[in-house]
Amino acid sequence: MHGKAPPTRADFDRLYEAEFDYVWSTLRRLGVPDAHVEDVAHDVFITAWKKLAEYDSSRPLRPWLFGIAYRFASDFRDRAWQRREVADAEPDTTDEAPTPEGHAQQSQAKQLVLRAMESIPLDRRAVFVMHELEGQGIPEVAAALDVPLNTAYSRLRLARRDFQAAVEKLRGAP
Amino acid sequence: MTPNDLEPLSPELQALLAAERPLTSAPAAAKSRLLAKLSTELFEVPGGDGGGSEGGSSSSGPSSGPGPSGAPPTGAGVSGAGVSAAGSGLVAKAVVAKLVVGASVASMAVGGAIGAGVHSAVVEERERQHRLAAPERPATERPPEPPPPPVVTAEPPPSPSTPVVIPPTVTAPAKPQLSADEQLALEKSYVEQARVAMARQDPNGALEALAHHQRRFPNGQLTEERMALEVMALSSAGRSIEARNAANAFRKRFPAGLLRSAVDATAPEE
């Protein structure tokens, strides 16, 4: 605690309104199937609310939220593997809005990115998502995921390699 | 390992990633459904002695582990209120919960939106009735008697002619470890989800929440509210024949129900 006033219902509403899409997208990028994103997002917001009083508001919010989402995504994956539910899982596409013809290519590219990221182990993928998709610096990534700086760089290097190989495979490259 | 050791991604892969950088808009129905659920769990204490209040982050939140919750809300801040369920307090809560939801349902039928003023007034009434029904006791005082059995048996059995507008697949009763207090809170959360969905012009989202309620509480304390909302959701979704059948089932089961007029206004008796 930092001696500040406890968060209020209004704080929660603002957090939810501003960050719901971010949490939703993050969980999908971390491999949570669409059918389970809502449940996992529920746990993320519950935890974010419980820890909001501890959050240092001088720091950016999203890396902090990412750290929470990552832990729940990781836990979900562990449990799902135990239940053998996500073996050979592919990203769902059911909630994608219908895309106008002009956006079809972009939609295909998004699907390709999500499918390629499926092949990246989760600890590397978290670094990859934060850095390559969200533009976070590696020091911020390391802090959010609570790993040493060198580890974060190493995971990024491996994730890039995994990603490139997956894209080539999905495109049928030799 | 340093930044200099990193090989940059090719421009082609960079372009590919650019397509995924904008955030995906989450489904609106999921957003409203989850907000309703979280609001119930975090900010509503069954019995009305904390509903909508601020703060409470450490005491009213659920003790959820780090795992995803596939199950419906099991009651953040719900179990803690169980002690006050003695005597007539429980009945009062059931009646008041029906009033709160019923007022919202009725206001939806009349105005097509949440009657904020009505809702607020009913919440105040809920708090007042709760204070009357379950006066505060010193923290150290134990409740004199164990809570009475749930009051879910007062309703008639479901009519065999109930239309199949919601798959009546599993009639699993509420988990036996739920107290009547917790059961009512859970029922309210489902009905509230449906109400919020209706307010957002999402009748399919409402029907989904109502289907959850029907599966979990086929003869619950808020069955009347569920059936009334179902009529309105079906009507809003343009499923007029199903709405009429649902309205007939409602009238047969609750001929003098509080929500009869709202149902009649939506799907008049032929």
Side-chain angles (χ1 to χ4, degrees), chain A residues 49-70:
Chain A
W49 168 250
K50 290 168 77 174
K51 292 180 177 292
L52 198 56
E54 303 166 16
Y55 162 65
D56 178 2
S57 57
S58 67
R59 308 282 300 171
L61 179 66
R62 288 191 171 177
W64 179 75
L65 270 179
F66 189 98
I68 296 172
Y70 168 66

Side-chain angles (χ1 to χ4, degrees), chain A residues 80-108:
Chain A
W81 277 110
Q82 287 167 10
R83 297 191 302 266
R84 299 179 181 180
E85 281 186 3
V86 294
D88 304 322
E90 292 185 355
D92 296 323
T93 59
T94 50
D95 70 341
E96 294 288 350
T99 51
E101 194 154 338
H103 294 164
Q105 272 192 324
Q106 188 180 19
S107 177
Q108 286 174 359

Side-chain angles (χ1 to χ4, degrees), chain A residues 155-170:
Chain A
R155 287 181 182 177
L156 177 62
R157 182 178 65 81
L158 294 169
R160 284 177 171 177
R161 185 199 63 188
D162 295 341
F163 182 72
Q164 180 168 357
V167 169
E168 288 171 357
K169 184 178 176 185
L170 289 168

